[in-house]
Amino acid sequence: MTQLDHQVHSVGPEVAGLRIFKFIAFLYGIAAYLVFFVTVLYAIGFVSGLVVPKSIDTGTETGTTEAVIVNLLLMSLFAIQHSVMARQQFKAWWTQFVPKPVERSTYVLLASLSLLLLFWQWRPLPAVIWNVENPELAVTLVTLSFAGWVLVFTSTYLINHFELFGLHQVTNHLLGKETPAPRFRTPLLYNFVRHPIYLGFIIAFWAAPTMTAGHLLFAAVTTIYIFVGIALEEHDLVALFGDEYRQYKQRVAMLIPWRRSH
């Protein structure tokens, strides 16, 4: 047996098996990201009422009470999953069972599935709260809504889109690289508001030329959840970055640009 044969034989089965598991984790991360990407595209159509087969104002109509209860339960399921799994205490417990490299991908996948369930089971409430009849103003509102979605996507890329949605972690794992420790950065938009992603969602949900009761319920509840999510997220960020983040809070407004927070 040559020296090369000996080296290949000595590292063969265990290393090959480890590489297979790394590759499976990588494929899992890609699959989770693709599910997320499809979910977000559907969310845009769901809120705007364009292209998708079932939007926020379509589907089987039920009684008002049933519709409100079901919709609140669906939004609560997403909110609880999305908030609880993002907390550091949960992550510390959760990674005892889920490998750390795929923890973020699993979080993204479950959040996407809970949203898809919401889209599927959402009950419309078609009563019209307002309807903008001026065509120019209606187009302006639709454009503003899409601008909100653009703000969401742009903001994710500014802070590392692929890390936020798990691809960075599974790629580093596949290549045998350590995921770098988180560092505090405030690129571009983050110098004007602390949470441009959430601001984008609020704009996208509220800028509607036709606002039905169902759309209003969705926009109102998600906006409340956004403020709760900000409080939880900033608590974690202060714990992680300390005075650096406290000074950032004093310097930059939460959601309204160029307005100093208190």
Side-chain angles (χ1 to χ4, degrees), residues 39-56:
T39 302
V40 170
L41 290 180
Y42 197 100
I44 296 172
F46 179 78
V47 172
S48 63
L50 299 174
V51 182
V52 299
K54 184 177 185 298
S55 73
I56 201 167

Side-chain angles (χ1 to χ4, degrees), residues 47-109:
V47 172
S48 63
L50 299 174
V51 182
V52 299
K54 184 177 185 298
S55 73
I56 201 167
D57 295 321
T58 61
T60 304
E61 292 186 26
T62 59
T64 301
T65 301
E66 178 184 339
V68 170
I69 291 174
V70 170
N71 293 344
L72 287 176
L73 288 174
L74 290 168
M75 288 187 284
S76 297
L77 175 64
F78 170 77
I80 292 170
Q81 178 273 325
H82 194 260
S83 292
V84 172
M85 291 190 70
R87 306 281 68 78
Q88 294 301 320
Q89 299 92 326
F90 183 89
K91 290 180 181 180
W93 171 80
W94 182 234
T95 48
Q96 297 178 72
F97 311 100
V98 175
K100 193 171 183 179
V102 299
E103 180 272 328
R104 188 67 184 182
S105 294
T106 304
Y107 170 76
V108 169
L109 178 61

Side-chain angles (χ1 to χ4, degrees), residues 32-235:
Y33 180 81
L34 290 176
V35 172
F36 150 78
F37 192 73
V38 170
T39 302
V40 170
L41 290 180
Y42 197 100
I44 296 172
F46 179 78
V47 172
S48 63
L50 299 174
V51 182
V52 299
K54 184 177 185 298
S55 73
I56 201 167
D57 295 321
T58 61
T60 304
E61 292 186 26
T62 59
T64 301
T65 301
E66 178 184 339
V68 170
I69 291 174
V70 170
N71 293 344
L72 287 176
L73 288 174
L74 290 168
M75 288 187 284
S76 297
L77 175 64
F78 170 77
I80 292 170
Q81 178 273 325
H82 194 260
S83 292
V84 172
M85 291 190 70
R87 306 281 68 78
Q88 294 301 320
Q89 299 92 326
F90 183 89
K91 290 180 181 180
W93 171 80
W94 182 234
T95 48
Q96 297 178 72
F97 311 100
V98 175
K100 193 171 183 179
V102 299
E103 180 272 328
R104 188 67 184 182
S105 294
T106 304
Y107 170 76
V108 169
L109 178 61
L110 292 177
S112 300
L113 291 177
S114 65
L115 272 181
L116 290 173
L117 176 64
L118 184 149
F119 301 151
W120 175 37
Q121 291 297 322
W122 181 265
R123 306 295 199 263
L125 290 162
V128 176
I129 306 301
W130 73 67
N131 182 44
V132 176
E133 296 183 355
N134 183 298
E136 293 182 356
L137 182 54
V139 170
T140 299
L141 286 172
V142 171
T143 302
L144 185 60
S145 178
F146 282 107
W149 290 109
V150 171
L151 178 59
V152 170
F153 280 105
T154 302
S155 301
T156 65
Y157 280 101
L158 288 175
I159 58 172
N160 196 336
H161 174 90
F162 299 107
E163 181 179 4
L164 190 62
F165 298 107
L167 283 180
H168 197 178
Q169 291 87 328
V170 294
T171 301
N172 283 341
H173 182 58
L174 178 66
L175 299 176
K177 295 181 179 179
E178 289 289 332
T179 299
R183 61 190 183 91
F184 183 65
R185 298 185 305 115
T186 57
L188 295 177
L189 298 173
Y190 290 84
N191 288 308
F192 297 98
V193 292
R194 302 198 300 272
H195 301 281
I197 295 175
Y198 292 140
L199 176 61
F201 280 126
I202 291 173
I203 294 171
F205 295 159
W206 284 97
T210 300
M211 178 66 75
T212 62
H215 193 151
L216 180 63
L217 176 69
F218 180 85
V221 173
T222 51
T223 300
I224 292 170
Y225 168 64
I226 281 172
F227 281 99
V228 173
I230 286 174
L232 294 172
E233 183 177 316
E234 292 201 330
H235 179 271

